[in-house]
Amino acid sequence: MGRAAARGCPVAEVSVRIVRYAVGGERHYGELESEGVGIARFEGDPYSGLSPTGRTDRVDDVVVLPPVDRPRIFGFAYNYASHVDETDREIPEVPVCFMKPSTAVVGPGDAIVYPSDGELIHFEGELVVVIGKEARHVKPSEAADHILGYTCGNDVSDRIVQRKESAFGTLLIGKGQDTFAPLGPVIATELDPSGLALTTRVNGTVVQSASTADLLLPVPEIVSYLSRYLTLLPGDVIMTGTPSGVGPIRPGDEVEVEIEGIGVLRNPVVAESR
């Protein structure tokens, strides 16, 4: 179990894939078993401590929810040199940060809603950090003690709106529309984020293939940087940036973000209905 969640678990420092799910009208946390068929149900939550209940739920009988419930979402832009190159920009002098509303979050299998007035909507596959313990003025060497684990994310972006906003120094609607932050399927604890394979597919075709080793600002420095200026809270998530290969999606598409040691986040794209 991750450091932040280990208090209720008999064995610490062992990687666990925490899943948040609903069954029988109730919500639970559990551990996705290695075969991917069952979920060992826990009591408690990952931030104050999890304890095994001895009960197992079948994956086919549950609804897998976003791994974090309506979190604060911090994003880092231009954090891979390859993505900076494809946007014809210079590597930023300081980290470029933004936020997405908590209402942008959807979970595995949930639809990404293509806005009725959308013209150019892009996918962005990313490694996402889940904070497990309050962090303020944290050194990079201390960052791991404040991280619960990692999940997959898709920083869906309306490029037309984003560019218009960015011209005036703002960024909200282009990144923050409902369903523009798919997360999941699990939170993988005790994972080394320094060299994970990241693959994004649209309709089964690989469109992004990279390693988190190429992050310009690696995970420990990301956590340290944010905590220098603001307090990170348990349940906050940080989208660490996307590599090159971003591109458009349309209604009818299916987007998959796969990260080594975590799993596959899969979401269909549907047209907005009013």
Side-chain angles (χ1 to χ4, degrees), residues 111-119 121 158 173 177-180 249-252 268-274:
I112 298 168
V113 177
Y114 195 102
S116 59
D117 57 356
E119 298 179 53
I121 311 299
D158 185 324
I173 305 304
Q177 298 182 45
D178 285 2
T179 76
F180 273 25
I249 51 177
R250 297 293 303 175
V269 184
V270 303
E272 181 179 22
S273 59
R274 291 186 177 179

Side-chain angles (χ1 to χ4, degrees), residues 56-227:
T56 299
D57 297 299
R58 287 181 52 83
V59 171
D60 291 344
D61 297 333
V62 312
V63 177
V64 178
L65 303 172
V68 184
D69 185 23
R70 294 201 166 189
R72 297 196 301 177
I73 308 164
F74 299 92
F76 277 71
Y78 310 115
N79 202 24
Y80 283 84
S82 61
H83 180 53
V84 175
D85 289 343
E86 74 177 351
T87 59
D88 293 324
R89 295 178 180 269
E90 299 293 328
I91 291 176
E93 295 182 6
V94 297
V96 178
C97 305
F98 61 92
M99 292 188 71
K100 284 175 174 267
S102 60
T103 48
V105 172
V106 292
D110 292 337
I112 298 168
V113 177
Y114 195 102
S116 59
D117 57 356
E119 298 179 53
L120 186 62
I121 311 299
H122 275 194
F123 62 82
E124 294 189 10
E126 308 198 8
L127 174 70
V128 177
V129 180
V130 181
I131 298 298
K133 178 182 175 183
E134 186 173 306
R136 180 74 164 125
H137 298 300
V138 170
K139 299 175 183 177
S141 61
E142 302 167 334
D145 294 331
H146 298 264
I147 295 172
L148 171 63
Y150 303 88
T151 193
C152 304
N154 187 349
D155 178 19
V156 180
S157 305
D158 185 324
R159 294 299 190 213
I160 302 300
V161 176
Q162 178 185 345
R163 290 163 186 165
K164 291 178 179 178
E165 287 182 313
S166 296
F168 291 91
T170 64
L171 185 57
L172 177 61
I173 305 304
K175 292 279 191 179
Q177 298 182 45
D178 285 2
T179 76
F180 273 25
L183 299 175
V186 302
I187 301 171
T189 70
E190 301 302 330
L191 200 61
D192 181 355
S194 63
L196 301 174
L198 185 158
T199 305
T200 306
R201 292 179 289 269
V202 176
N203 301 327
T205 299
V206 174
V207 288
Q208 290 183 297
S209 181
S211 169
T212 58
D214 297 327
L215 284 166
L216 295 173
L217 197 68
V219 167
E221 294 186 34
I222 284 174
V223 173
S224 180
Y225 179 79
L226 282 177
S227 75

